[in-house]
Amino acid sequence: MTKETAAEPVPGDEHTRPHLTRAALPTIDMQADFVSGPHAVPGTEQIAPAVARLVRAFRDAGRPIVHILRLYLPDGSNADSCRRSLIASGTRLVAPHSPGSRPADGLTPADAAPLDPDRLLSGAAQRLADGEHAISGFGEHAGRR
């Protein structure tokens, strides 16, 4: 073993080995508007099926899942800088109560509770199903910028 190879993670190494019995799965920005449509993030549609399989595996194993969502207010005041002008110009992107703000198809169970954007924008987590929650990564609680 050389100095260079010693620095690389080794599968199964005690410091890098996943602890699946303690793992939780976050999904980040995997919302309909970001997966497909005119403002989709390039590449997201291609990875969505793999993310859905991973979500199902965690759900089947009874492991926690947290969907981290963005909800942009119509005036863009809570949007991240790279999208603030777009939202302020009238574009509806992950707008509260819009179909595009929902997690992408296949990410939540069929019996999941509908999103409660007002709750999420207040900074509270929302239970969607057993072991599965949604939180808003941006919102009024995150402060207007």
Side-chain angles (χ1 to χ4, degrees):
M1 178 179 290
T2 67
K3 189 175 185 179
E4 291 79 17
T5 58
E8 295 188 16
V10 178
D13 179 274
E14 67 179 301
H15 300 289
T16 60
R17 181 182 314 122
H19 296 277
L20 298 177
T21 60
R22 297 190 318 238
L25 176 67
T27 68
I28 303 171
D29 297 346
M30 290 298 299
Q31 292 162 265
D33 278 348
F34 294 138
V35 173
S36 63
H39 301 288
V41 175
T44 306
E45 188 169 22
Q46 290 75 21
I47 67 160
V51 174
R53 286 191 303 273
L54 186 58
V55 166
R56 280 192 305 275
F58 266 71
R59 192 176 294 129
D60 291 346
R63 302 304 315 143
I65 301 165
V66 178
H67 302 281
I68 303 166
L69 310 173
R70 293 180 192 261
L71 295 169
Y72 294 146
L73 297 173
D75 65 0
S77 62
N78 72 333
D80 45 328
S81 298
C82 65
R83 294 194 180 100
R84 191 167 302 142
S85 293
L86 176 70
I87 306 304
S89 73
T91 299
R92 287 181 48 90
L93 180 65
V94 294
H97 304 283
S98 73
S101 69
R102 294 184 204 132
D105 289 343
L107 294 189
T108 56
D111 62 347
L115 286 183
D116 181 347
D118 299 322
R119 178 178 179 79
L120 295 170
L121 284 168
S122 78
Q126 180 189 347
R127 181 185 177 279
L128 300 177
D130 286 342
E132 202 155 339
H133 292 79
I135 62 171
S136 178
F138 280 80
E140 289 179 341
H141 64 281
R144 292 179 185 246
R145 297 185 177 128

